[in-house]
């Protein structure tokens, strides 16, 4: 499913539901390295495909990268292909208002905590770091993040940091997406230590040769197989309860007995009958609507027990 572009033209964008949800869920994420490298956002999405970030990443491999952006605040590198951060349009002049500086500053402070930060930023991005971070080194001293001097400074500071091999943080990246999507650190359970992946575009999540989920290229979000439904059930996340046998791939709201209130439209959910997982799919309503609506499709079922 393709998502429409999200226009973020004015400061009112800071209060969009997608933005507020993103900022709240970023609090669940953690860096994988002891040093964090902060970069400015780019017009092109995902950021890593932009000219500037292509250059930056030559120097920052092995360290946790975080992009400062308005209106979303921060984007850890592993989240850059995930909706909605990959679908917003906004100015990237770096000329930020006080409200934008405050928003981004609070977000990076919450994420960075006491970690060392290498801030390769200028303009409003730098102001946000200066006002909210303490343990930070600035590598752009001429207001040009792509200048030879700034990049040389970045290279020198990165050399001092302890880097993490790429294969060591792959599970961390997959878990970050799961935490964000399901709004819980408990969803690290979706990506155990023995996880294997396959696929060039869509990524299949495999546990002991069994596929439990798919990470989709277009959305950067997971869809679940029945085995992953068991994980939702065990952790009491996104559950939908019924008391009858499924007869089709559509679950209508009037047939739903109960559902977790935290569910929002388009969430992946597990369908449970008599304490048994019988299906997984995508919710068309929020949790309250699933229980109280007297008409309409509640869940589009993807997999079910035959």
């Amino acid at each position: 499913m393709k998502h429409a572009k999200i226009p973020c033209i004015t400061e009112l964008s800071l209060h969009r539901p997608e933005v507020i949800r993103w900022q709240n869920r970023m609090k669940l994420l953690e860096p994988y390295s002891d040093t964090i490298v902060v970069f400015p956002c780019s017009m092109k999405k995902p950021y890593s495909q932009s000219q500037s970030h292509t250059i930056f990443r030559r120097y920052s491999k092995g360290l946790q990268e975080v992009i400062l952006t308005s209106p979303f605040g921060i984007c850890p590198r592993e989240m850059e292909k995930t909706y909605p951060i990959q679908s917003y349009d906004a100015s990237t002049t770096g000329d930020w208002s006080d409200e934008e500086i405050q928003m981004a500053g609070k977000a990076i402070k919450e994420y960075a905590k006491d970690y060392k930060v290498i801030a390769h930023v200028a303009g409003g991005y730098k102001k946000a770091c200066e006002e909210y971070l303490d343990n930070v080194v600035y590598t752009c001293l001429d207001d040009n993040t792509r200048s030879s001097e700034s990049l040389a400074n970045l290279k020198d500071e990165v050399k001092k940091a302890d880097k993490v091999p790429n294969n060591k943080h792959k599970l961390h990246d997959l878990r970050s997406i799961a935490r964000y999507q399901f709004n819980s650190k408990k969803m690290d359970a979706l990506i155990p230590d023995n996880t294997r992946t396959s696929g060039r575009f869509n990524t299949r999540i495999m546990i002991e040769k069994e596929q439990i989920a798919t990470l989709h290229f277009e959305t950067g979000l997971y869809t679940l197989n029945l085995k992953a439904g068991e994980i939702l059930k065990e952790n009491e996340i996104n559950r939908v309860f019924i008391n009858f046998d499924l007869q089709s791939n559509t679950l209508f709201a009037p047939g739903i007995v109960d559902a977790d209130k935290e569910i929002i439209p388009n969430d992946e959910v597990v369908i449970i009958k008599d304490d048994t997982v019988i299906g997984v799919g995508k919710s068309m309503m929020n949790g309250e609507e699933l229980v109280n609506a007297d008409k309409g499709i509640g869940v589009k079922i993807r997999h079910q027990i035959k």
Side-chain angles (χ1 to χ4, degrees):
M1 178 185 68
K2 288 186 177 181
H3 291 275
K5 287 288 185 180
I6 301 173
C8 298
I9 309 302
T10 70
E11 286 191 25
L12 293 176
S13 301
L14 294 170
H15 308 288
R16 292 184 66 116
E18 304 98 322
V19 170
I20 299 299
R21 186 180 304 122
W22 177 272
Q23 293 174 351
N24 287 336
R25 296 189 182 190
M26 285 300 101
K27 298 174 183 178
L28 298 169
L29 274 54
E30 302 163 354
Y32 70 81
S33 63
D34 293 335
T35 299
I36 301 167
V37 186
V38 177
F39 293 123
C41 64
S42 65
M43 183 71 74
K44 190 168 186 178
K45 314 294 185 304
Y47 304 118
S48 58
Q49 293 182 6
S50 68
Q51 290 184 351
S52 58
H53 282 251
T54 299
I55 296 171
F56 298 158
R57 300 199 75 193
R58 296 173 188 168
Y59 304 94
S60 56
K61 289 180 181 178
L63 299 179
Q64 176 70 61
E65 300 167 278
V66 180
I67 296 92
L68 280 185
T69 181
S70 178
F72 287 89
I74 62 168
C75 176
R77 179 68 73 183
E78 66 269 22
M79 301 301 300
E80 68 172 354
K81 297 180 181 179
T82 301
Y83 182 84
I85 204 74
Q86 37 78 300
S87 298
Y88 78 100
D89 284 327
S91 169
T92 56
T93 63
D95 184 17
W96 282 1
S97 67
D98 290 341
E99 187 175 5
E100 288 176 300
I101 290 171
Q102 183 181 60
M103 171 275 304
K106 288 181 177 179
I108 189 60
K109 180 179 181 179
E110 175 75 27
Y111 181 83
K113 296 182 172 63
D114 295 327
Y115 287 83
K116 178 182 176 181
V117 174
I118 299 172
H120 192 72
V121 291
Y125 306 99
K126 188 174 183 179
K127 290 180 181 178
C129 292
E130 288 176 332
E131 291 187 21
Y132 286 88
L133 296 179
D134 295 319
N135 188 16
V136 55
V137 174
Y138 297 97
T139 53
C140 177
L141 305 178
D142 58 4
D143 292 328
N144 182 359
T145 57
R146 294 170 61 177
S147 71
S148 298
E149 180 182 358
S150 293
L151 293 173
N153 291 338
L154 174 62
K155 182 179 180 180
D156 289 343
E157 288 300 324
V158 167
K159 281 183 178 179
K160 303 174 186 177
D162 294 327
K163 300 179 184 62
V164 178
N166 182 64
N167 61 338
K168 295 294 185 180
H169 67 78
K170 183 177 181 180
L171 295 180
H172 164 275
D173 293 354
L174 294 172
R175 288 168 181 159
S176 292
I177 297 169
R179 289 185 181 192
Y180 167 77
Q181 182 174 348
F182 296 96
N183 196 27
S184 175
K185 291 184 178 181
K186 292 180 180 179
M187 285 307 290
D188 284 358
L190 184 66
I191 312 293
D193 291 341
N194 62 337
T195 297
R196 297 291 180 268
T197 62
S198 65
R200 184 177 177 184
F201 295 103
N202 293 339
T203 301
R204 295 190 297 162
I205 308 299
M206 311 292 294
I207 308 297
E208 297 179 351
K209 298 183 179 181
E210 181 180 3
Q211 182 176 346
I212 70 167
T214 302
L215 180 61
H216 287 267
F217 177 80
E218 286 188 348
T219 63
L221 297 169
Y222 295 105
T223 57
L224 306 183
N225 290 34
L226 288 169
K227 185 72 172 179
E230 295 284 355
I231 296 172
L232 288 185
K233 174 179 175 291
E234 290 168 8
N235 289 282
E236 300 182 350
I237 295 171
N238 290 7
R239 299 167 299 169
V240 177
F241 299 90
I242 63 174
N243 57 10
F244 60 92
D245 294 329
L246 294 173
Q247 301 296 326
S248 70
N249 61 358
T250 302
L251 175 60
F252 290 94
I256 295 172
V257 175
D258 200 4
D260 287 324
K261 295 180 180 180
E262 295 79 11
I263 294 171
I264 62 175
N266 293 319
D267 266 355
E268 290 287 302
V269 299
V270 57
I271 302 168
I272 300 170
K273 177 195 174 190
D274 298 331
D275 202 39
T276 299
V277 172
I278 62 171
V280 291
K282 181 172 68 174
S283 180
M284 298 290 100
M285 301 178 177
N286 65 38
E288 184 176 350
E289 291 169 335
L290 288 172
V291 177
N292 297 324
D294 55 11
K295 61 181 179 180
I297 297 175
V299 179
K300 288 186 176 179
I301 300 168
R302 182 178 303 102
H303 301 288
Q304 59 181 290
I305 299 292
K306 300 296 184 182

